[in-house]
Structures are given as structure tokens and as C-alpha cells.
Amino acid sequence: MTEATRDHVGLSDHFASRRYFRKFETITGHLLRVAAAMEAEGGIGREEVRIVSGYVSGLLYTFRALSMKYLLVGRDTGRFFGSLNMDRRDSGFPVAAELLTMANDAQQAARHLENMPSEAELKDDMVRTIIGKQEIPTKLQFALSQRLYYEELQRGQLFWARNDPECKWIATEGERRTFLLHWAVYDSQVNLPVIYLMRLEDTGKTALPKDQRRWPEAQAHLMAQSLGGLKLLTIAKGFDEDFDDLHPKHLTRIHVGPMYSSAYTEQSGPLRAVLEDAQSPEGQDWALAWTVEEIESEEVREERAGWFSTVEREIFALDPFGGRGAETGATRMARSIILPQRPFQVLAERDPPGFADVRKYVVSPSGQVLRY
């Protein structure tokens, strides 16, 4: 067993599993409010908020589907079905293998549903079992949960292990078009969702999304480079050098997580102590990190390409403070944390080192999100 595997745990207890899914449904709902708060602060544009909110909604639907899949975990369903496997040390999220399995199930959802009784038929059988046999219809409940799981997959709009790039036109000036690209992955190294946004200028003859050669190549390139271990500078420069008529002007990477909870995770550091001291009631024992990295082009230089032509190359600005630019490979990095009021009060009282420059988004009991 590898060290990483030992950090993964199956939620085999029925009540612990239900609380886990309720917790994430609550958190993803708050994330949508946090994105709106960021827009109000001017830290992110309206179109970017719409895109990020779409991916966060996809996470909500993914957790909803998984909650249906594992609805009867810990109960005797007549067969061994396993339990949700989560990363308790690095992320607090499900392991990437869960999303890969879900993607495979989605491909076969229609076939499964075709051979299953309808929801109404299953509920009628449940009533007959309860009244006639005076038994709990666990196996029928399991069958219904699996039907609801496949129906959720068939609806789509989920956050998959790979969410391929999409391209949105922003503006046109002469022969230079501006596009906003966005894509997302579930990083299998740390089991976290990661969202990418790239604003680029296109000087090609055919608009990028209609170019049957460049668009598939650009998509493949971006997905291959969507690794958490790569610096944004490496990704942006590689794209700039591989496509002479595509000019990346701004690249953003958003890490959603880790999620901290004293009931489920074993991360070390100040937040673990904060959550333990807070002794929050059920549903408020959590904190979610949210990190935004950005790199932008500060100028353009021309270099020769062959005998008679030149191409534009971007010069990317790195963080000028304390020499951190070479270390981070980004123009700037902003760390945020989202947490309920009670853990925030303990965090403010303890004031651990390293949290002074972390933005705190606090969720009130009514669900309102405030920044401190």
C-alpha cells in the first residue's frame, strides 16, 4: 500500500457519509456567494464569475450524483457496493478515481436506466413490502438510489475529471480578435478541482473556435499542461511559443480546496487546531481554502521566424515583491479561506502566523457571506 493510499479512507458509516455530502452541498452553495462577493469587490469580472460559477455548480451536481450512488452505504443492500473514497489528508475531497468511475458510468447511464424499473414502480413495490411483509425495503431503496444516480449523470453539467476548453469571443479590433478560454481538471495528485481561465488575442486568418486545425491542437495542448505542479509561467510561455498567432495575455488558475473538517480530515497546521477549539455544531465544522494565481503579459517583443517574417512573443510580469516571482511563477497570488462564524471567531482570537494576508469570507448563520 502506498503512502498516498493510506491517506484515503472509505466513508462506510451511513450517518457519516450523509453528513459529509450535506456538508459539501452547503459549502458549494456558499462558494457561489463568494464568487459574487469577489465580483462586487472588483477582483473578478462578470464573465469570469459566470464561468467560475458554472464550474462550482458542476461540483454541486457531482456531489449530488455521488450522494445518490452511496445513499445506502453501510446498510445491507444484498450486495457489496463499497463506499465513497475520500482524501482525508491533502484535500478532504473525494479521490480522483471516484470521478473517473463516474465518467465511465455516465457513458452507460442510458443502458442502465433502460433495464431498471421506473421510480414509480420501485416506490409501489416499497409500499407493498412495508405493508404486506412488514419489512424495510432496503434492496428496493438501493435500486431506487442507483436509478437516481444514473438520472443525475444523464442530466449532465457535472464537474468531470477533465472539462475540455471552451472558447468565448470577447472583442475584435481590426484583424485581432480577443477570446476568453476556460477549462478545468480534477487534479489527481492532490484530489482537488482546478479551474483555468485564459484571455488571448488571435491574429490567425480564421477565428480560433472555427479553425479546424488550431482549435483541436490548442485544446489538446492546454489539457496536457493542466498540471498543478506546473507554474503558470511555464504554461503561458509554452502556449505562446507553440502557437505563433495566439497570444496569451492573462492566465488565471483557481484551486478550490482543500476542505478542512475535524470530523473528516487529518490535515496539520493552524486550521486543524482552530476547528477543534471552535467545537462547532454539525454542519459548521469546516473551512475551505481558495487560491487564485494569475500571470499577465506586460509587453510584447518580436523575434524572427524564418528569413522574411517575425512573430510576437509575450513578456510575462512576475511578482516583484521579495523576489517571489521566480518562486511562484506568477504575477500575483491571492489566498482566501471560507468558513462559518464560529471557527472564524476562534481564528481571529488565535491569530496564527501566516494568515494576515489571507482573505477571510465568513458565512453567517443566515447564509450571508461577508469579507473580513
Side-chain angles (χ1 to χ4, degrees):
M1 182 182 291
T2 65
E3 185 68 30
T5 305
R6 283 194 290 270
D7 293 337
H8 301 165
V9 61
L11 293 178
S12 56
D13 179 81
H14 178 74
F15 295 105
S17 177
R18 301 316 308 152
R19 287 196 300 271
Y20 179 82
F21 285 116
R22 281 199 301 270
K23 188 185 299 289
F24 262 104
E25 184 165 356
T26 299
I27 291 172
T28 48
H30 293 320
L31 279 177
L32 294 170
R33 299 184 186 97
V34 169
M38 288 180 173
E39 180 190 0
E41 295 165 4
I44 186 171
R46 177 169 296 181
E47 186 60 31
E48 286 82 357
V49 166
R50 187 191 65 79
I51 291 168
V52 171
S53 297
Y55 286 118
V56 172
S57 297
L59 279 174
L60 174 63
Y61 302 146
T62 291
F63 276 101
R64 188 173 295 167
L66 289 173
S67 72
M68 291 296 105
K69 179 179 180 179
Y70 294 112
L71 186 65
L72 274 292
V73 69
R75 295 176 60 183
D76 182 12
T77 59
R79 55 173 288 191
F80 177 74
F81 192 68
S83 55
L84 179 81
N85 205 13
M86 63 159 285
D87 183 346
R88 63 182 176 181
R89 176 168 296 181
D90 291 326
S91 76
F93 278 69
V95 300
E98 292 284 357
L99 274 76
L100 293 172
T101 301
M102 190 179 70
N104 182 66
D105 290 343
Q107 296 296 318
Q108 306 175 67
R111 190 176 69 185
H112 283 285
L113 289 170
E114 184 180 351
N115 297 319
M116 283 182 172
S118 68
E119 182 176 344
E121 290 172 331
L122 287 168
K123 288 181 177 179
D124 286 344
D125 289 343
M126 287 183 200
V127 173
R128 282 192 287 269
T129 300
I130 294 170
I131 296 175
K133 298 182 179 180
Q134 296 186 341
E135 296 177 355
I136 298 175
T138 306
K139 294 179 181 179
L140 290 169
Q141 290 174 327
F142 175 75
L144 179 56
S145 73
Q146 299 313 293
R147 178 173 186 87
L148 294 175
Y149 167 61
Y150 286 115
E151 286 178 351
E152 196 68 42
L153 295 184
Q154 217 176 28
R155 291 189 186 100
Q157 305 300 316
L158 285 79
F159 192 102
W160 306 104
R162 286 170 51 101
N163 304 270
D164 288 346
E166 297 181 36
C167 184
K168 178 177 177 57
W169 173 83
I170 299 297
T172 299
E173 291 186 16
E175 297 182 355
R176 188 175 293 256
R177 312 171 195 88
T178 301
F179 292 102
L180 179 62
L181 276 59
H182 61 90
W183 67 100
V185 297
Y186 201 83
D187 191 330
S188 61
Q189 297 298 311
V190 292
N191 298 306
L192 286 176
V194 184
I195 302 167
Y196 292 83
L197 302 117
M198 176 187 282
R199 183 172 56 82
L200 61 80
E201 293 180 359
D202 176 15
T203 54
K205 292 182 179 179
T206 305
L208 177 61
K210 298 180 180 180
D211 193 313
Q212 297 180 6
R213 178 186 63 83
R214 292 185 306 151
W215 180 225
E217 289 179 359
Q219 288 179 302
H221 178 101
L222 293 172
M223 293 307 297
Q225 298 296 304
S226 298
L227 303 173
L230 287 181
K231 296 177 180 179
L232 285 190
L233 178 62
T234 303
I235 298 172
K237 285 188 68 175
F239 188 86
D240 186 40
E241 292 169 359
D242 280 4
F243 297 92
D244 292 344
D245 45 17
L246 295 176
H247 316 288
K249 298 297 182 179
H250 192 280
L251 175 62
T252 302
R253 177 164 61 190
I254 302 172
H255 304 263
V256 182
M259 187 277 288
Y260 299 82
S261 171
S262 55
Y264 292 97
T265 64
E266 297 181 357
Q267 296 108 324
S268 59
L271 278 177
R272 180 179 179 181
V274 165
L275 291 171
E276 288 175 351
D277 289 354
Q279 297 182 344
S280 301
E282 181 183 328
Q284 297 185 38
D285 168 40
W286 60 270
L288 184 82
W290 172 289
T291 304
V292 179
E293 301 173 87
E294 296 177 85
I295 191 166
E296 59 188 18
S297 172
E298 62 179 351
E299 60 179 295
V300 177
R301 64 176 170 84
E302 290 191 352
E303 64 177 39
R304 293 186 60 179
W307 290 99
F308 305 107
S309 61
T310 61
V311 294
E312 295 180 11
R313 291 289 181 244
E314 306 297 325
I315 307 297
F316 295 99
L318 296 179
D319 186 349
F321 298 104
R324 293 177 61 236
E327 176 188 338
T328 63
T331 305
R332 54 188 163 269
M333 180 186 298
R335 295 186 301 149
S336 304
I337 188 167
I338 306 145
L339 69 176
Q341 273 187 354
R342 193 160 174 175
F344 170 70
Q345 290 169 352
V346 176
L347 179 66
E349 291 169 3
R350 293 175 64 99
D351 193 22
F355 279 79
D357 62 344
V358 176
R359 297 174 182 172
K360 289 91 174 175
Y361 292 92
V362 182
V363 180
S364 70
S366 65
Q368 185 180 9
V369 174
L370 302 173
R371 180 187 168 186
Y372 289 86

